Amino acid sequence: MRTIGLANTTTKAIAREAGCSEAALYKHYANKEELFVRVLMERTPNAAPLMGELARDHAERSVEEGLAAIARHASLFYADAMPMAASLFAEPALLTRHREGVQEIGTGPHVVRDALTGRLRRELERGRLRPDADPEAAAALLLGACFQRAFFLHFSGPEVVPPVEEFAPAVARTLWAAIR
């Protein structure tokens, strides 16, 4: 999946790499989409730190610091995930099948956005955001910026994007200025 993308990866090839039969794969995974999601979440180095950061409730830390940590992990996660997922968009039928498969197992890219929205809602309830701040829009802005950075990184090359150590705090600082 990492080298040739999801569209070109067959369950037969996955089974061969894993040293098991195709039937054995389906004993552990409902479908290819579940396998893809599990690979993303368990084998992509920044997935667990991203989800962990989204789940943490850091009342003792500033919101801006939390947003910077999320932006860092999201930027790295999207950069890792993009090559695997990009091939889906070349084949509309495959994208539809993948979308349906991911919905069937109750997951998808919206999970990250929903988790960040929930975290920002908790911050709003604590009074740490301005009363008219929109947590869903703020989550979309932060994650959209991280996704765009990953796209530019892969499409145009690393020289056109700032290093994640500069990017993440800058995006967090800018978003924080709008919602504090």
Side-chain angles (χ1 to χ4, degrees), residues 63-73 142 164 168-173:
V63 176
E64 183 180 341
E65 289 170 330
L67 292 172
I70 291 166
R72 180 181 187 285
H73 293 302
L142 182 78
V164 73
V171 167
R173 185 174 47 255

Side-chain angles (χ1 to χ4, degrees), residues 83-153:
M84 286 188 272
S87 62
L88 288 171
F89 295 92
E91 298 180 38
L94 178 63
L95 179 59
T96 298
R97 190 177 79 232
H98 183 77
R99 182 183 305 120
E100 290 167 355
V102 168
Q103 288 171 349
E104 183 180 307
I105 61 173
T107 191
H110 66 281
V111 170
V112 174
R113 184 206 58 218
D114 293 350
L116 180 51
T117 298
R119 179 165 171 176
L120 290 170
R121 279 195 179 113
R122 290 188 299 278
E123 297 293 2
L124 183 63
E125 291 164 3
R126 281 191 189 113
R128 292 175 55 162
L129 305 184
R130 28 186 280 201
D132 65 340
D134 183 336
E136 191 169 348
L141 288 167
L142 182 78
L143 296 174
C146 296
F147 189 83
Q148 182 188 51
R149 181 189 177 277
F151 175 78
F152 288 160
L153 177 69

Side-chain angles (χ1 to χ4, degrees), residues 31-61:
N31 52 35
K32 185 176 169 184
E33 291 73 30
E34 181 182 2
L35 183 57
F36 172 68
V37 170
R38 295 280 295 273
V39 166
L40 272 179
M41 299 315 289
E42 295 174 14
R43 301 286 182 190
T44 303
N46 291 288
L50 172 59
M51 295 312 289
E53 192 61 48
L54 288 166
R56 279 189 200 92
D57 208 3
H58 290 295
E60 76 283 349
R61 173 168 92 173

